[in-house]
Structure formats: C-alpha cells, structure tokens
Amino acid sequence: MEAGYAEVEPEQPTEPEPLTPPRTWREMVALTWDKVPQLHGTLRNAVHLVRFSPPDVQIRLEDVQTKADRLLQSFLEEHFPGQWRISLSTAEGEPTLDEQGAEVVQLNRAAVEAHPLVKAILDAFPGAKIGDVQDHSLDEYGLPPEITAPLTEDSPPDLEFAPLDADFLDEDDLLKDQEPL
C-alpha cells in the first residue's frame, strides 16, 4: 500500500427497514404512498373502508376492475407475510379518504365564513373573497391526526369511560356529596 492512501472497504448493501404494521386504515393506505403510488391513489380516492379489525380488513371498491383488493393483499403479504386478510364487501362503508378530507375542508371554510370578524371584513370590503382556508394541523389526507394506542398484547387499552359492568351514577349521588351554600 502506498503512503497517504487509505483502503476503502466496499459498502455493504443495507436492507430496508421493516415496515411497522398499520394500526388504522389511514396508516395502511399511507404505507403504499411511496412504494406503490398507483395503488395509493386508488385506495385514497376509490376505496371505502367497511371494517378495519386487524388482521381482517373489509373494503368496498367503486370500480372492481381496479383489483385494489388483490393489489393491497399482495402488498401486505410482501411486507407482513400471513398477517392480513383483505376482503370485499357490498356494504356502503365510510366515505373515501379524499371524500372525508373534502368534508373537513368544507367544515373549516364554513366556520371561517361564519366568524364575526370575517363577516365584518367582508361587509367593509365589498367584493372581497375568502381564499383557501388552510389548517396546518391536518394530515396529507386533509384529516385531523388520528389518536391511536400502541398495539401490544400485554397491556389493556386505556379507556376513558366506565366498564360495561359499572354501576350507574345518579345525579342525587353527586348532589349529596356537595355542601349546601
């Protein structure tokens, strides 16, 4: 070896990091975003979620010719072998992710238009129009962030309501604990 030159080791090919299993339909659709863009577009625009109950997912396709169910099943099988089952349903299901996002945009726009300050500005400046209403708290689908709990088998879900077998609380029970004024 000559002086002044360092020997360079050949780079080892790095394996892609394994994907985290999706906890929601939106997470499942997002997994396809950069890996299978055409499938991502179909899932976002033309697939209605009927039921998401891991490992079973039921969907309704607007156009069965897209074969999105089979494409999604093979995508999931490639990344999570034997863990998911995609099935078709004839039930209406939820609106598509894009339809849900459009509804949120409309609700935000209506809230802005109803705001007293905005109304006053529009009255003071006839011909003025409201531009695009942007909500930076929304995700790439135009939806509010999902609240998800980690999927672990050893810990029960953190529920913020009483269990089904709890006794009902009467209003009188609340009042008898208060001191009279």
Side-chain angles (χ1 to χ4, degrees):
M1 181 153 112
E2 295 181 34
Y5 292 100
E7 192 171 314
V8 178
E9 292 184 31
E11 287 187 28
Q12 298 293 329
T14 57
E15 291 185 29
E17 289 191 30
L19 298 176
T20 304
R23 298 170 292 179
T24 65
W25 171 246
R26 214 183 313 172
E27 285 183 5
M28 184 174 279
V29 172
L31 285 176
T32 65
W33 179 69
D34 60 343
K35 296 178 180 22
V36 192
Q38 185 174 358
L39 175 59
H40 179 262
T42 302
L43 295 174
R44 181 178 177 157
N45 295 298
V47 175
H48 300 265
L49 175 65
V50 174
R51 191 181 70 157
F52 187 89
S53 180
D56 296 314
V57 179
Q58 287 184 350
I59 56 176
R60 179 179 62 84
L61 305 177
E62 289 182 0
D63 180 7
V64 290
Q65 304 256 339
T66 63
K67 300 178 183 161
D69 58 320
R70 290 188 225 157
L71 295 171
L72 179 58
Q73 181 68 57
S74 65
F75 172 82
L76 293 170
E77 194 60 35
E78 177 184 336
H79 295 284
F80 310 103
Q83 294 183 30
W84 292 94
R85 286 184 302 277
I86 306 298
S87 60
L88 290 177
S89 174
T90 56
E92 185 69 22
E94 297 177 1
T96 66
L97 290 175
D98 271 3
E99 290 168 345
Q100 292 175 39
E103 184 178 346
V104 169
V105 168
Q106 288 176 345
L107 291 171
N108 284 345
R109 183 168 191 82
V112 167
E113 290 171 347
H115 193 280
L117 184 58
V118 173
K119 285 182 175 182
I121 292 170
L122 292 175
D123 289 343
F125 298 97
K129 296 184 188 313
I130 299 172
D132 288 338
V133 176
Q134 296 183 3
D135 183 344
H136 297 288
S137 68
L138 303 179
D139 67 8
E140 61 273 8
Y141 301 110
L143 298 170
E146 293 181 290
I147 299 171
T148 56
L151 292 178
T152 59
E153 294 179 16
D154 53 346
S155 65
D158 184 24
L159 305 176
E160 293 187 17
F161 55 87
L164 295 175
D165 59 348
D167 292 330
F168 287 102
L169 183 64
D170 290 324
E171 201 172 304
D172 295 337
D173 293 337
L174 292 174
L175 296 176
K176 73 178 177 185
D177 291 340
Q178 294 179 351
E179 292 183 29
L181 295 175

